[in-house]
Amino acid sequence: MRPAAPLRLLLSSLCLALCCPGGARGSRGSDNHEWKKLIMVHHWPVTVCKEVENDCRDPPDYWTIHGLWPDKAEECNGSWHFHLEEIKDLMPEMKMYWPDVIHPLNHSHFWKHEWEKHGTCAAQLDALNSQKKYFGGSLDLYRDLDLNSMLQKLGIKPSINYYQVSDIKDALAGIYGVIPKIQCLPPQQGEEVQTIGQIELCFTKELRLRNCTEPGEPGGPGGPAPRRPRAGVSGGTGLEVCEDGPAFYPPPPGAVP
């Protein structure tokens, strides 16, 4: 089953959210927790399984949520613990669109990690200042972006044939009007090309789409190429900003590409 929803880039009530320093429960005012953008991170389950060298039984065949991450801020409130009961109303959507791909029988550990590392920082915004608002708001952004449908409409589908990273990035920029960031697994020993793993789309504190990369940044216009270990070298795994060039968008196991 693939999620489908109309693209609504004017994000209704979420767009009314303004940065409210100190407004989140127990939030700290330290400069160490200042951030400028939110990153909606989608990951491709087939690549997730490959990255951790886990066969993964029946991973989803659509892009799922990895997280909603403020840049440059993590673990902003160690006393604000995750409580599954607070998001019980969201459970059906959470299991479908924000699953723990690696541990499908125990999603809550993954959600706990995302809340305590990222959600406590995103909670500086009124629109995200509770666990239900953070996870519910993330689901709303995911549905509004509708990445799965956009890729399908662009003809970008899992395939044994390779794609050019710049073609995917340009196509998505044409849809969303902003520059996304695409991350890949470097080629491992015996592989020819990198493997697409994550697509990030970024938002301002007002929850309006913005560029993920700026001129001069790695992966951005005119920026330096991201550095990468050589294929087959120990430690060469782990997602990095994709290099310009060919990339593999792997089909799910058993799928006909």
Side-chain angles (χ1 to χ4, degrees):
M1 175 180 180
R2 285 187 170 83
L7 182 66
R8 302 187 303 275
L9 296 181
L10 296 177
L11 296 168
S12 61
S13 60
L14 282 177
C15 283
L16 298 177
L18 296 174
C19 177
C20 184
R25 185 181 70 178
S27 62
R28 303 172 185 173
S30 169
D31 289 341
N32 294 334
H33 298 137
E34 288 295 318
W35 53 271
K36 294 183 178 180
K37 63 185 176 187
L38 282 169
I39 307 168
M40 170 54 73
V41 186
H42 306 74
H43 58 189
W44 182 238
V46 178
T47 305
V48 174
C49 297
K50 177 183 177 182
E51 181 181 8
V52 298
E53 299 181 348
N54 184 317
D55 289 338
C56 294
R57 184 175 179 180
D58 299 325
D61 61 352
Y62 49 88
W63 290 82
T64 60
I65 300 172
H66 189 172
L68 182 65
W69 303 345
D71 70 322
K72 303 178 182 178
E74 295 180 354
E75 299 177 347
C76 292
N77 189 341
S79 65
W80 198 350
H81 301 299
F82 175 75
H83 296 288
L84 188 63
E85 183 72 12
E86 294 191 28
I87 60 169
K88 63 180 181 179
D89 295 344
L90 303 174
M91 204 59 60
E93 290 180 294
M94 291 290 294
K95 289 180 178 179
M96 178 171 287
Y97 304 137
W98 202 331
D100 186 334
V101 176
I102 306 302
H103 306 103
L105 300 180
N106 183 20
H107 302 287
S108 62
H109 181 76
F110 178 39
W111 300 335
K112 175 179 183 291
H113 169 80
E114 291 300 308
W115 166 254
E116 293 180 354
K117 185 173 183 178
H118 304 292
T120 54
C121 300
Q124 293 177 21
L125 303 187
D126 280 348
L128 304 173
N129 67 357
S130 70
Q131 291 176 44
K132 186 168 185 178
K133 285 184 178 180
Y134 171 71
F135 288 105
S138 299
L139 288 166
D140 286 343
L141 292 175
Y142 171 83
R143 284 191 297 264
D144 290 341
L145 291 168
D146 199 12
L147 177 64
N148 290 282
S149 293
M150 295 303 107
L151 290 170
Q152 287 283 329
K153 290 177 181 178
L154 291 167
I156 301 170
K157 303 175 183 179
S159 174
I160 59 174
N161 298 313
Y162 301 151
Y163 290 93
Q164 292 293 320
V165 170
S166 59
D167 290 344
I168 297 176
K169 186 184 294 186
D170 291 347
L172 290 174
I175 290 287
Y176 294 111
V178 294
I179 301 172
K181 180 180 285 186
I182 304 177
Q183 295 194 317
C184 292
L185 281 179
Q188 299 177 19
Q189 189 168 14
E191 295 180 339
E192 296 179 348
V193 299
Q194 59 197 337
T195 301
I196 295 171
Q198 286 191 164
I199 294 178
E200 301 176 0
L201 288 155
C202 298
F203 292 85
T204 66
K205 287 187 174 183
E206 293 74 36
L207 297 178
R208 297 187 179 95
L209 279 165
R210 54 155 288 171
N211 292 337
C212 283
T213 55
E214 299 296 343
E217 292 181 3
R227 297 180 63 184
R228 165 183 300 168
R230 296 188 308 277
V233 175
S234 177
T237 60
L239 291 170
E240 302 174 354
V241 176
C242 301
E243 288 186 340
D244 285 338
F248 181 40
Y249 181 8
V256 179

